[in-house]
């Protein structure tokens, strides 16, 4: 059975603003989370087109994370391990898939849509009746839900941060009901790992990891707003290319990183 969760993450931004903020945040976050031989390697980044959603951007990334996995997953994975992330960004709609060639029964599919509201749309991603029956909804609060201690930075705390460019923040209790502008990221995550004895444990681990990444990434997008606000799409694409080159260099800075790129598995 596929574990299905819907995350709703509000931010004091507009959907149009976040088009830039999302690209900036992902590029910078990927660089900051990468170390020698581990992290996010960008394999492909090119325009794409869909008959329903129109023009967009396709990216493929290899996420090298062997040492970051819990011991019970490391035990069944090779030392050189990566997950493959494929993403189709037709903003304000995106589709992201995670697979691993070493573990063919692992699949994570994330459908995302952004709207200018506080998370009030009950079926934003048009789930079927059967999907709605098994869906659970988790409202994330970027200010008052805590990230893990290893990810916490005082300067990225929305309860303390005030933007000089937009005059937004700090966020106070109840901000999602009072602050303007307000937008929401609706993310439906289907996670499946069909291996007897490990399915529930791995699917729960995946969902907890995704929740942490979503909380951290959206906090950073707001806390970094003064860095990206005012950028054009061309500006942020140039920044993205620069950071991707730096990230890839970091990944390949050891022989282990080079070997990983030659043949194994990835998450965003």
């Amino acid at each position: 059975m596929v574990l299905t969760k819907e995350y709703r993450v509000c931010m004091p931004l507009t959907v149009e603003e976040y088009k830039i903020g999302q690209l900036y945040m992902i590029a910078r976050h990927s660089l900051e989370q990468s170390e020698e031989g581990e992290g996010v390697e960008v394999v492909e980044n090119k325009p794409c087109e869909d008959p329903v959603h129109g023009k967009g951007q396709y990216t493929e990334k290899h996420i090298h994370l062997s040492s970051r996995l819990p011991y019970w997953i490391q035990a069944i994975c090779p030392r050189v391990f990566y997950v493959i992330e494929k993403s189709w960004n037709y903003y304000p709609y995106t589709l992201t898939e995670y697979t691993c060639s070493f573990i063919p029964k692992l699949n994570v599919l994330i459908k995302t849509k952004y709207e200018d509201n506080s998370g009030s749309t009950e079926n934003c991603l048009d789930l079927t009746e059967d999907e709605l029956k098994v869906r659970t909804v988790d409202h994330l609060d970027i200010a008052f839900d805590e990230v893990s201690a290893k990810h916490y930075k005082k300067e990225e705390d929305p309860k303390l941060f005030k933007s000089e460019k937009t005059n937004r923040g700090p966020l106070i209790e109840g901000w999602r009901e009072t602050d303007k502008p307000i937008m929401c990221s609706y993310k439906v995550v289907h996670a499946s790992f069909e291996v007897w004895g490990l399915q529930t444990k791995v699917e729960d681990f995946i969902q907890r990891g995704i929740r942490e990444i979503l909380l951290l990434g959206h906090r950073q997008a707001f806390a970094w707003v003064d860095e990206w606000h005012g950028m054009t799409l061309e500006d942020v694409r140039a920044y993205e290319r620069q950071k991707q080159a730096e990230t890839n260099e970091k990944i390949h800075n050891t022989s282990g990183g080079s070997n990983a790129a030659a043949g194994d598995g990835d998450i965003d």
Side-chain angles (χ1 to χ4, degrees):
M1 181 178 173
V2 177
L3 185 59
T4 301
K5 293 198 73 169
E6 179 175 324
Y7 300 94
R8 300 182 188 177
V9 194
C10 290
M11 286 188 294
L13 304 168
T14 67
V15 170
E16 188 61 29
E17 288 174 329
Y18 191 54
K19 185 175 185 177
I20 304 297
Q22 174 205 42
L23 295 173
Y24 178 93
M25 176 270 292
I26 291 172
R28 179 171 166 181
H29 175 88
S30 295
L31 178 62
E32 291 191 357
Q33 293 298 308
S34 296
E35 302 167 358
E36 289 188 354
E38 292 212 345
V40 183
E41 174 192 10
V42 181
V43 178
E44 198 167 4
N45 188 352
K46 65 182 183 181
C48 61
E49 193 160 354
D50 180 83
V52 175
H53 302 292
K55 294 183 178 180
Q57 194 79 8
Y58 168 78
T59 58
E60 180 177 333
K61 301 174 184 176
H62 291 176
I63 303 174
H64 305 265
L65 37 59
S66 302
S67 69
R68 304 183 185 197
L69 297 171
Y71 73 91
W72 48 270
I73 292 185
Q74 288 186 43
I76 63 169
C77 291
R79 287 195 62 189
V80 180
F81 172 79
Y82 67 82
V83 175
I84 302 164
E85 174 194 290
K86 295 182 178 180
S87 181
W88 296 262
N89 187 345
Y90 305 104
Y91 199 87
Y93 172 81
T94 66
L95 181 68
T96 306
E97 181 183 48
Y98 298 98
T99 56
C100 176
S101 58
F102 177 71
I103 312 173
K105 294 184 181 294
L106 170 68
N107 185 270
V108 179
L109 184 66
I110 304 177
K111 297 179 181 179
T112 304
K113 193 171 181 183
Y114 306 102
E115 290 189 348
D116 284 311
N117 58 49
S118 59
S120 55
T121 305
E122 277 313 306
N123 191 10
C124 182
L125 286 147
D126 299 320
L127 300 183
T128 66
E129 286 299 318
D130 287 341
E131 288 174 324
L132 289 172
K133 287 177 184 176
V134 298
R135 172 195 71 171
T136 58
V137 178
D138 188 353
H139 293 265
L140 276 61
D141 187 333
I142 64 169
F144 291 91
D145 286 358
E146 294 184 0
V147 293
S148 62
K150 67 180 179 181
H151 287 145
Y152 179 81
K153 294 180 181 178
K154 186 176 179 179
E155 63 272 21
E156 294 176 1
D157 190 335
K159 297 191 300 295
L160 306 174
F161 171 74
K162 183 172 182 64
S163 166
E164 294 181 5
K165 283 189 177 179
T166 67
N167 204 35
R168 298 172 201 167
L171 302 183
I172 62 173
E173 195 76 59
W175 68 272
R176 290 176 293 180
E177 286 74 47
T178 58
D179 281 28
K180 300 293 181 202
I182 189 84
M183 65 158 285
C184 184
S185 299
Y186 293 85
K187 291 182 175 284
V188 171
V189 180
H190 303 282
S192 65
F193 183 70
E194 299 175 5
V195 175
W196 186 85
L198 284 174
Q199 180 173 2
T200 301
K201 198 171 188 178
V202 172
E203 289 179 358
D204 286 345
F205 169 74
I206 290 168
Q207 291 285 3
R208 288 198 308 273
I210 288 173
R211 190 186 193 279
E212 173 77 7
I213 291 169
L214 291 178
L215 186 58
L216 176 63
H218 287 77
R219 284 165 66 102
Q220 290 176 330
F222 174 54
W224 296 340
V225 64
D226 288 346
E227 306 296 325
W228 59 259
H229 202 272
M231 276 186 169
T232 64
L233 187 58
E234 292 72 24
D235 292 336
V236 78
R237 286 294 183 199
Y239 176 85
E240 183 181 50
R241 287 191 296 271
Q242 175 195 342
K243 294 304 173 187
Q244 286 174 357
E246 292 177 26
T247 302
N248 284 2
E249 184 178 353
K250 233 179 179 182
I251 297 296
H252 291 284
N253 209 20
T254 64
S255 58
S258 300
N259 292 337
D264 272 88
D266 142 41
I267 283 189
D268 175 301

